Structures are given as structure tokens and as C-alpha cells.
Amino acid sequence: MRAIVAASTGGLDVLEYKKVTVPEPSAGEVRIRVLKASVHFADIKKRKGMKGAGNPGILGLDAVGIIDKVGQDVKGIQVGERVIAFVKEGSYAEYAIANAMLVYPVADQVDTAVAAACPVPSFLSFMLLERVGRLGNGETVLIHAASGGTGLTLVQLARKLGAGKIIGTVSTDHKADLPLKLGADHCITYDNLSESVQSLTDGAGADLILDSLAGSVMEESFTCLAPYGRLVNYGNASGAAGSIKTSDVHASCRSLLGYSLGTTRKKRPEDLKHIAEQVISFVEMGDITFPSIQEFKLEDASKAHQLMESRTHAGKIILRIAD
């Protein structure tokens, strides 16, 4: 099969378009003929050696495709089904293996590009808002990196789940258009973050803050978190750690929480299986959309990575592998 393989960590030049052996599913697994796959910032971190150990190999976290082969002990999944999935060892390839617990049927009317774009941002956003962040009706939500794939999904889903006020943050003003169109009430840059949030909330602060950046942004975010508020950190795109003093937590009844979709896929896949039907229904009904999708051919994966690293694109970037 054709695949993009990174035999070592490094820059764009380590991404090699080549033929490799088609993988076989073990017990409890399925093989998927991949149609399209998302490109994630986590792929770039893995390629550079900033995530995981060893050589990166085939990159990619998720995909849309057709069930090609079913391993032993797999029930309820049929060859020929169209599915989205979180894959085991990379989706930048014509075929990928997935744990059957992490495979979900998706309706034919969902565009293939949308189906490819949806797994990580849709499942992650629902878990962050509904399960981990415990969004309450009418609460104010602050969403960092609001113009990215997950940020745009968080904006839409926060509105659907009853948020009162939604504030998005972006790196530059020109990235504010999409979050505002999709439901954000305000979109601000990281300059004077705390002052801006306090002004927009009449000094009350945000009830729920969703942070994928960490570093100094997380530290400043905590200063504008309302009493009894929750700050959920789910990434460190800034590349730096953030520090919160315990003395700033208990007296104000504020909470600092962490969440990793990757850890959940490995250790508690049943958590995602339980929410799959509800999450996918949001996509199938159009309650979650994915505007500004940019597609690249599989062999042009390095161009896709280059665009993502430039941080100039708002929305999702995907690879087209088959029709």
C-alpha cells in the first residue's frame, strides 16, 4: 500500500511517500481502507520527536474509510461499512488498523471531507464541554485557539449545549471571522487577555476556560477564571509549561483540570463509545460544521504539514487518499 512514513524524527524532509506492507488486524481489531485522514498538530509534534518515543513511522490519528477486514472477536461491524475511526498506527496510508471499540458508523450523507475532519475535534469538544468541563446553562466560556479545528468545533458545540457567552481567542485579528460566524460572541487576541475577559464579563470572569496552549497563556487565564470556575488544559501548543499556585485554587473554589483524548483512547475507549452516537448525530444533523477545509493529496503531506506549521490557516487540513 502507499503511505507516508517518517523513518526518523526531524523536518519536512523525513516524510517519505513509499510502498509498505498492508497491515493485518489482530483479535478485536478491524482494517479500514482509508478515504481521507486529518492532519493534526500532534502529527507535527510526533514527526519532530516532541511526542512519543522512537521513530514516528506512519503518522495520523483518525480517518474516514470503509471496513475492509474484521479480526476475531469483533461483533457489530461489517465489511463494507463506512466508518470514522481513531486508528492504531497511523492513517497517512491506504489502509489502517483500529481497535473495534474506536470505530463508529457514519451516515452516507455526511461529506467524506467532513467525516475525515470530525473525529478528534468532535469527540474532544464534547468531552471537554460536557463531561470534563461540566458546562452549565448560561455560563461564560473562554475558548483558546478558537480559529483552529478544535476551537471552531468548541464554539459551535458550546452554543448548542447552552453556553451564555462565548469568548474566543486568536493570534491575530484576521482569524476572528470564522469563530464569530460560527457562534462566538467576542473574539480577542492574547494581548491584555485578562483585562479583555474581565471587561467583556463585567468583572465576573469566565466560568469555563478551555486551554490547548499552556504556558503563560494558561497562567494569565487562571486570573480571569470566575469563582467556582473550571480551567481545562488539554494541550501545550505553546511548548511551555504553565504554573498555578495552590493558594489561588482552594479559597476561590476554582478548579484546574486536565484531559487527553489520546490517553482516553488507550485507557478508556469505552468512554468514547458511550458518547459516539450523540457526537456523530451533531455532525450528521449539521449542528457541527467544518468550514475552511483544505485538502492535500497523500503524496503532498509535507505541504499539509508546512501549512499547519505556518499557523496561517483557520479550519481543518486533511489528506485525500482515495475516492
Side-chain angles (χ1 to χ4, degrees), residues 36-40 61-65 82-86 104-107 110-126 149-150 153-154 156-157 261 275-276 278-284 287-291 293 315-318:
K36 295 183 180 182
S38 273
V39 176
H40 298 282
L61 302 176
D62 54 8
V64 58
R82 184 174 186 254
V83 298
I84 58 174
F86 297 109
Y104 322 101
V106 61
V110 177
D111 181 80
T112 306
V114 170
C118 82
V120 166
S122 297
F123 281 78
L124 176 57
S125 295
F126 188 86
T150 297
T153 305
L154 282 167
Q156 296 173 78
L157 200 52
L261 187 64
I275 67 168
Q278 187 172 359
V279 171
I280 294 173
S281 71
F282 286 135
V283 178
E284 292 176 344
D287 293 322
I288 298 175
T289 62
F290 296 88
I293 293 175
K316 290 290 295 178
I317 299 170
I318 64 173

Side-chain angles (χ1 to χ4, degrees), residues 55-261:
N55 293 327
I58 299 175
L59 301 173
L61 302 176
D62 54 8
V64 58
I66 308 298
I67 296 294
D68 172 72
K69 190 173 183 179
V70 176
Q72 294 181 347
D73 303 324
V74 173
K75 297 180 180 179
I77 300 177
Q78 304 295 323
V79 171
E81 271 192 284
R82 184 174 186 254
V83 298
I84 58 174
F86 297 109
V87 303
K88 183 180 178 182
E89 294 177 347
S91 55
Y92 292 17
E94 290 184 295
Y95 293 90
I97 301 297
N99 179 337
M101 286 284 288
L102 296 171
V103 174
Y104 322 101
V106 61
D108 289 340
Q109 77 261 20
V110 177
D111 181 80
T112 306
V114 170
C118 82
V120 166
S122 297
F123 281 78
L124 176 57
S125 295
F126 188 86
M127 291 296 291
L128 291 172
L129 287 164
E130 205 272 344
R131 297 296 173 91
V132 183
R134 307 184 310 280
L135 175 65
N137 192 50
E139 287 191 320
T140 295
V141 184
L142 175 63
I143 299 170
H144 288 319
S147 65
T150 297
L152 292 171
T153 305
L154 282 167
V155 167
Q156 296 173 78
L157 200 52
R159 181 63 67 206
K160 180 70 178 178
L161 295 177
K165 182 178 290 185
I166 301 171
I167 304 169
T169 61
V170 290
S171 57
T172 59
D173 289 328
H174 81 271
K175 289 186 176 182
D177 288 348
L178 268 179
L180 291 170
K181 287 179 181 177
L182 292 177
D185 297 293
H186 308 280
C187 219
I188 59 177
T189 64
Y190 301 104
D191 301 320
N192 303 312
L193 174 63
S194 181
E195 293 86 344
S196 297
V197 173
Q198 296 293 358
S199 175
L200 292 171
T201 60
D202 297 322
D207 300 296
L208 177 60
I209 300 177
L210 302 172
D211 165 51
S212 60
L213 304 175
S216 60
V217 171
M218 187 186 80
E219 294 171 354
E220 188 173 2
S221 296
F222 204 79
T223 67
C224 52
L225 186 65
Y228 296 92
R230 291 84 60 207
L231 188 156
V232 185
N233 173 254
Y234 66 99
N236 64 333
S238 70
S243 299
I244 303 295
K245 295 179 181 179
T246 55
S247 57
D248 291 333
V249 177
H250 74 277
S252 62
C253 300
R254 295 180 293 179
S255 301
L256 175 62
L257 302 159
Y259 183 74
S260 166
L261 187 64

